[in-house]
Amino acid sequence: LVFNQDFHCVARGQTSQSMAKVAAAHDDKAVLAMTDRFFAARDSGDLRTALSLFDADTRRMADGWPADAARFSQEAGENLGRRIVGITWYDNPASIARPGVYASVDYVGAYANVPEDCGYLLWRTVDGQNFELVHEEHSFIPVGTITKLSSSEVMNMKKKIGCAADR
């Protein structure tokens, strides 16, 4: 008979989240609806709504995010479109302390002054219906850089920053 006990300490008055495994449906439609909601808010300049979609821990660490997002939108110019290129689901990933089902939504897009824009949004759910944004990864290549590079150099740069998906 072997008895194992896992525990971790928290500060007095804090509660610890359960480390129980979470099972939830992989609902592409639901996570895409949240992705659309986030991008609609960010693209329209409603950064308060966009920020509210992040989980509480991420919002606490996002001091400069609204200013950075506003500056990017101003400098990038007109949004020329965005396309979802993939969704990857992760059930209770071992590398993440908080149990849940995570969906990584990969996208590519372009703006008037940023012809190569890409990234992913990482969503977390415990019930398959309610999602919270736990991470945004956003990379881009501005037009000023692209005009100085050959097409093969642009392709290499896209691969380096994760924008290798075809549009």
Side-chain angles (χ1 to χ4, degrees):
L1 176 67
V2 175
F3 178 76
N4 290 320
Q5 182 176 6
D6 292 326
F7 66 93
H8 61 279
C9 299
V10 294
R12 184 177 299 249
Q14 286 185 329
T15 58
S16 173
Q17 289 191 335
S18 167
M19 294 309 290
K21 296 297 182 193
V22 174
H26 294 182
D27 188 344
D28 288 358
K29 193 173 188 177
V31 79
L32 287 174
M34 290 303 296
T35 298
D36 288 344
R37 184 174 170 202
F38 173 79
F39 282 134
R42 192 180 83 180
D43 292 345
S44 70
D46 183 2
L47 300 177
R48 178 174 287 191
T49 296
L51 190 59
S52 76
L53 298 176
F54 284 94
D55 71 310
D57 291 338
T58 305
R59 277 195 309 272
R60 279 193 291 275
M61 296 184 297
D63 287 338
W65 184 86
D68 290 343
R71 185 174 43 258
F72 174 81
S73 292
Q74 182 179 20
E75 292 174 5
E78 180 186 359
N79 184 336
L80 303 177
R82 182 182 297 112
R83 187 169 62 86
I84 303 302
V85 294
I87 302 172
T88 306
W89 291 90
Y90 305 93
D91 295 323
N92 299 296
S95 62
I96 299 177
R98 292 177 61 199
V101 175
Y102 291 78
S104 177
V105 179
D106 301 313
Y107 67 88
V108 294
Y111 294 82
N113 299 321
V114 179
E116 297 295 341
D117 178 62
C118 69
Y120 69 90
L121 303 178
L122 184 63
W123 297 94
R124 177 182 174 267
T125 185
V126 294
D127 62 8
Q129 297 173 2
N130 298 299
F131 290 85
E132 58 187 1
L133 188 55
V134 295
H135 184 73
E136 175 192 26
E137 186 77 28
H138 180 218
S139 300
F140 59 93
I141 308 171
V143 71
T145 301
I146 287 180
T147 58
K148 298 174 186 174
L149 302 174
S150 69
S151 59
S152 65
E153 290 171 321
V154 170
M155 288 304 297
N156 286 336
M157 183 174 278
K158 284 172 57 175
K159 287 178 183 176
K160 280 184 182 178
I161 66 171
C163 288
D166 277 337
R167 269 190 268 150

